[in-house]
Amino acid sequence: MKTLLNVLLGSLAGALAWPAAALNVFTCEPEWAALAQELGGDKVSVFSATTAQQDPHRLEARPSLIARFRNADVLICSGSELEVGWLPLLFTQSGNARIQPGSPGYIEASQYVIRLEIPKVIDRALGDIHPQGNPHVHLDPRNIAKIAEAVTARFAELDARNADAYRARGEDFGKRWQQAMDRWRGEAQSLKGMPLVVYHKDMSYFINWTGMREVGSLEPKPGIPPTPTHLAELVEQMKRSPAKVVVYSPYNNPGAAQFLSERTGIPVAPLPFTVGGTPKAKDLFGLFDDTIERLRAVTK
Ligand SMILES: [Zn+2]
């Protein structure tokens, strides 16, 4: 009898030792899913609404997404209106109060960093202008460090039972990230001052961090697809003052970058942009490793 009880108690303890994930995390973009996984480990179950191949500005609020949204305890999105075209619909359709703006479960990553390109005048005729500044904040590793601290604090608040575990993971990630940043700073030295053409203004934080120089974009205005007139102008501009590289992200159509490259001889570098964007960008560390490596490769 006693043995049976011991077995029962033993299996109960076993079940308690491996509980289901404590927090369901809904993220809008893969970089935040990767960060949540780093910081939450087996205490979290993480979902990303978009993959690296999908445009985070535009997404269909399909039923499967609404179901995920309804079950979420935490939401992590870039914010600053990046998801303005689809996230509000998920909020109204899911009725999930835990992750509504202002609640502890709502994390808008861009609110924890200094935003670039805050417009002085809001004129929608200039394209997808974000009044709160450029929302693509994740490609400056210093921003990732700040956002990681905010996410750790929020995880600990929402799931107090595992607070110590989140803090330990947060500290470990912070150390590894700092070491990686020191290495990247050295590796990115040769990128300083390098002129580049972007597809969309989604590289601004990386450019600001490395000291590269954006001299043109394939989109005539943010969010407006490349036009023949604009591309013809860029070709002329590049003949007068050539960029070193033309970059684009996996969710962009590569055609315009190739067009410009063929007419000017400037090399093209497809960049991962986010986690999962290239085979090497398996996590946040790989994302920066591969982005820097690909840009260095075209300058050699
Ligand atoms: Zn954008």
Side-chain angles (χ1 to χ4, degrees):
M1 191 59 205
K2 200 168 179 204
T3 339
L4 182 64
L5 189 66
N6 278 346
V7 168
L8 281 174
L9 282 175
S11 59
L12 184 66
L16 288 176
W18 288 283
L23 291 175
N24 277 323
V25 186
F26 181 104
T27 67
C28 290
E29 291 88 22
E31 60 269 22
W32 309 129
L35 184 63
Q37 200 61 68
E38 290 274 1
L39 300 170
D42 61 357
K43 306 283 187 283
V44 296
S45 164
V46 180
F47 172 77
S48 176
T50 55
T51 66
Q53 283 70 35
Q54 283 176 303
D55 184 346
H57 306 80
R58 286 164 197 87
L59 192 68
E60 196 195 331
R62 55 188 193 277
S64 62
L65 216 52
I66 296 163
R68 292 276 188 178
F69 206 81
R70 197 168 281 142
N71 292 326
D73 303 301
V74 190
L75 169 131
I76 311 175
C77 297
S78 295
S80 293
E81 294 202 352
L82 174 57
E83 305 91 358
V84 74
W86 54 278
L87 196 58
L89 207 67
L90 289 181
F91 276 122
T92 51
Q93 298 209 352
S94 78
N96 181 348
R98 293 187 301 279
I99 55 171
Q100 293 289 324
S103 62
Y106 175 81
I107 304 176
E108 193 176 339
S110 61
Q111 299 300 310
Y112 297 94
V113 304
I114 297 163
R115 265 153 294 140
L116 303 174
E117 299 162 9
I118 294 179
K120 290 183 184 76
V121 190
I122 310 298
D123 182 356
R124 299 279 173 184
L126 299 174
D128 268 346
I129 298 297
H130 303 297
Q132 299 176 57
N134 188 315
H136 304 285
V137 299
H138 67 286
L139 285 175
D140 182 334
R142 296 168 298 186
N143 289 353
I144 295 287
K146 285 183 199 160
I147 295 159
E149 282 177 22
V151 171
T152 296
R154 212 62 81 79
F155 279 0
E157 180 190 340
L158 289 164
D159 177 20
R161 242 166 44 106
N162 292 313
D164 288 343
Y166 294 124
R167 289 190 193 109
R169 286 194 78 95
E171 204 171 305
D172 175 61
F173 174 77
K175 274 188 199 143
R176 287 185 292 126
W177 195 251
Q178 189 57 54
Q179 283 166 4
M181 276 205 285
D182 293 342
R183 179 165 52 79
W184 292 326
R185 208 165 292 134
E187 291 170 358
Q189 270 306 322
S190 59
L191 304 181
K192 206 168 179 187
M194 185 202 279
L196 84 165
V197 172
V198 298
Y199 186 105
H200 173 67
K201 288 192 80 66
D202 56 7
M203 292 296 294
S204 300
Y205 290 84
F206 184 86
I207 290 165
N208 181 56
W209 172 59
T210 54
M212 294 179 85
R213 262 188 323 119
E214 185 181 313
V215 292
S217 67
L218 295 167
E219 289 181 341
K221 292 168 185 175
I224 311 294
T227 59
T229 320
H230 178 64
L231 288 178
E233 281 166 11
L234 264 182
V235 169
E236 288 313 307
Q237 185 196 328
M238 290 300 121
K239 282 180 183 163
R240 290 193 306 271
S241 135
K244 274 262 199 298
V245 61
V246 182
V247 304
Y248 64 95
S249 301
Y251 72 92
N252 301 140
N253 183 341
Q258 270 146 18
F259 175 91
L260 185 60
S261 176
E262 277 159 20
R263 273 157 189 78
T264 59
I266 300 168
V268 173
L271 298 179
F273 180 63
T274 184
V275 175
T278 56
K280 274 193 176 175
K282 283 198 236 335
D283 57 16
L284 287 165
F285 294 90
L287 169 62
F288 284 90
D289 283 342
D290 200 30
T291 303
I292 294 167
E293 196 182 312
R294 282 166 178 259
L295 286 169
R296 277 164 52 113
V298 295
T299 61
K300 273 177 192 145

